[in-house]
Amino acid sequence: MRRGRRHRALLPAMLERGEGTLLFSSGSSEHHLLPYLANFGVALAAQRTYIRQLHAELRGTGVYVGLLNIGALIGDSKAERLLAENPELAPPGVEIPRMTNAELGEHYWRMYTERTHDELDVGFPS
């Protein structure tokens, strides 16, 4: 089931209960400018706008909507393995941060339990 259909299928029951959580993931090249990822930026900007609008629309219903923007390679992911096997894929001089699955899980857990922000950026260089 595609992402849009999935949350539309889950949302009515969450609203009826007055509680629930929808967490989404993204990169973030639309507001952390990375020229080598420019092609993703357009789609991510649309996704980010949609999720932030959904967050605003559901405020006060008990349903939390959050977006985790991930600016790192995730440990043992296909992308990390691909880059390890083909280091020439990374632009010269660019150091791409890494994040373990446990670290990523902690960020999702924090968003789920704290529910204070509509989005959180993790793994991006300062």
Side-chain angles (χ1 to χ4, degrees):
M1 188 180 292
R2 290 188 4 216
R3 177 184 8 236
R5 290 184 185 153
R6 195 174 310 131
H7 81 265
R8 282 193 296 267
L10 297 171
L11 192 53
M14 291 180 186
L15 289 169
E16 188 175 312
R17 281 193 318 267
E19 67 177 352
T21 301
L22 295 169
L23 293 177
F24 297 85
S25 303
S26 183
S28 198
S29 62
E30 97 291 346
H31 70 269
H32 292 279
L33 302 178
L34 304 167
Y36 60 96
L37 294 176
N39 55 337
F40 293 116
V42 175
L44 296 181
Q47 177 194 34
R48 179 177 180 235
T49 299
Y50 174 75
I51 293 166
R52 293 184 75 205
Q53 182 63 38
L54 188 61
H55 173 85
E57 198 172 312
L58 295 174
R59 189 174 296 129
T61 66
V63 177
Y64 168 70
V65 179
L67 173 63
L68 184 64
N69 296 312
I70 305 166
L73 285 174
I74 300 165
D76 201 31
S77 67
K78 184 176 181 178
E80 185 186 51
R81 288 190 300 274
L82 183 66
L83 192 59
E85 294 165 6
N86 305 280
E88 71 279 2
L89 294 175
V94 172
E95 186 65 35
I96 302 173
R98 305 296 203 268
M99 181 177 297
T100 67
N101 289 308
E103 290 169 320
L104 187 60
E106 285 297 319
H107 292 297
Y108 283 115
W109 182 250
R110 192 171 92 217
M111 288 184 79
Y112 175 75
T113 57
E114 293 178 5
R115 299 171 173 245
T116 53
H117 304 289
D118 60 341
E119 67 181 313
L120 176 64
D121 291 353
V122 298
F124 293 95
S126 301

